[in-house]
């Protein structure tokens, strides 16, 4: 357990994520909570279902999530990240990094599956009816239809990955007692 307790002597602000990274992280969390709730509350989607009401909201918020995640990824890839707050063994560090990249991959691929499905149903995908977005598959496409099934399955894959991620964050905070969670939280004055 020694390595758990060995923390960097670096000042807190050098270890903390930057404000935009924190903002993107927590906006994504908020949008995902809203989106999962709508996904499960909205009426079942059948062959002739029209994209109205909660379904239309689901499509718009889903498209917004794609946009936010792409901006977030672009920022992440062009800015340095702070060093790890605790001296975890290299294997655990690699697992943490791999989980984060898996989350990014799911955050991009998973909504695109829903989008391809919406396009195959002939729906015009747009951001709140204001910004029309291009179709990702032709109307009636079999692949687009299958993407709808994948979208339902991957909802659970994303939830399990997020569950592991949250458990790890809480483990760091309450068991290892390092700054991992604090560095993703708003800075206290
Ligand atoms: C990260 C963003 C998204 C989340 C968390 C999400 C979540 C969900 C959930 C939980 C369901 C219900 C699955 C079930 O009934 O078991 C669903 C269904 C659906 N979503 Fe999404 N979704 C997202 C993005 C999108 C986007 C961007 C679109 C379209 C532009 C979309 C279109 C659909 C459609 C068409 C269905 C019905 C699929 C079917 O029943 O065949 N979703 N989504
Ligand atoms: C809704 C789902 C969530 C998703 C999709 C998500 C996604 C991510 C991703 C992709 C990163 C990597 C950041 C980077 O290095 O670029 C990250 C970091 C982090 N997340 Fe989340 N997160 C979620 C929820 C949460 C929650 C609820 C907590 C707190 C309990 C949390 C705590 C953290 C912490 C502490 C880090 C920084 C880890 C480190 O220092 O390496 N996340 N998250």
């Amino acid at each position: 357990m020694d390595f758990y307790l060995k923390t960097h002597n670096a000042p807190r602000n050098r270890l903390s994520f930057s404000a935009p990274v924190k903002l993107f992280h927590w906006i994504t969390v908020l949008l995902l909570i809203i989106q999962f709730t709508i996904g499960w509350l909205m009426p079942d989607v059948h062959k002739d279902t029209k994209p109205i009401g909660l379904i239309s909201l689901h499509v718009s918020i889903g498209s917004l999530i794609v946009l936010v995640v792409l901006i977030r990824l672009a920022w992440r890839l062009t800015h340095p990240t702070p060093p790890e707050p605790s001296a975890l063994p290299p294997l655990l560090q690699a697992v943490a990094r791999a989980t984060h990249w898996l989350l990014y991959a799911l955050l991009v691929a998973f909504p695109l599956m829903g989008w391809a499905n919406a396009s195959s149903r002939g729906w015009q995908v747009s951001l709140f009816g204001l910004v029309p977005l291009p179709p990702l598959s032709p109307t009636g496409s079999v692949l687009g239809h299958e993407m709808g099934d994948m979208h339902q399955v991957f909802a659970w894959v994303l939830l399990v990955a997020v569950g592991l991620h949250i458990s790890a964050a809480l483990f760091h905070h309450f068991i290892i007692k390092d700054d991992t969670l604090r560095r993703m939280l708003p800075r206290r004055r």
Side-chain angles (χ1 to χ4, degrees):
M1 288 298 274
D2 196 29
F3 59 82
Y4 285 150
L5 304 170
K6 233 189 322 164
T7 52
H8 275 262
N9 290 325
R12 171 79 47 81
N13 60 357
R14 195 167 78 78
L15 291 177
S16 190
F17 282 99
S18 65
V21 170
K22 292 181 192 174
L23 191 67
F24 282 133
H25 180 271
W26 294 109
I27 285 181
T28 313
V29 173
L30 184 69
L31 288 174
L32 280 178
I33 292 172
I34 296 172
Q35 184 68 340
F36 268 107
T37 309
I38 297 174
W40 279 314
L41 286 184
M42 69 189 190
D44 284 344
V45 177
H46 299 293
K47 198 164 174 284
D48 299 318
T49 304
K50 298 268 175 290
I52 50 171
L54 282 183
I55 299 178
S56 157
L57 195 59
H58 183 79
V59 168
S60 286
I61 294 181
S63 315
L64 183 62
I65 291 176
V66 177
L67 192 71
V68 169
V69 172
L70 289 180
I71 297 173
R72 180 177 170 186
L73 260 178
W75 180 278
R76 173 65 166 81
L77 292 170
T78 51
H79 292 76
T81 41
E84 306 281 335
S86 72
L88 287 182
L91 182 65
L92 280 188
Q93 285 184 25
V95 170
R97 268 196 299 274
T99 312
H100 291 155
W101 287 110
L102 173 72
L103 281 171
Y104 279 129
L106 287 171
L107 286 176
V108 175
F110 170 61
L112 291 185
M113 292 170 192
W115 184 342
N117 181 253
S119 302
S120 76
R121 294 175 188 280
W123 298 354
Q124 166 67 66
V125 174
S126 75
L127 268 175
F128 304 100
L130 300 173
V131 186
L133 300 168
L136 286 192
S137 68
T139 305
S141 145
V142 176
L143 184 65
H145 177 77
E146 283 165 359
M147 284 293 146
D149 297 339
M150 299 275 284
H151 188 65
Q152 296 188 13
V153 173
F154 269 77
W156 290 101
V157 177
L158 178 60
L159 276 184
V160 169
V162 164
L164 290 174
H165 173 69
I166 295 174
S167 312
L170 297 181
F171 185 77
H172 271 280
H173 193 70
F174 292 109
I175 309 290
I176 303 178
K177 298 191 192 316
D178 65 14
D179 278 337
T180 301
L181 179 56
R182 264 185 293 268
R183 77 198 197 122
M184 192 45 106
L185 296 177
R187 191 127 48 100
R188 264 180 282 164
R189 293 183 186 280

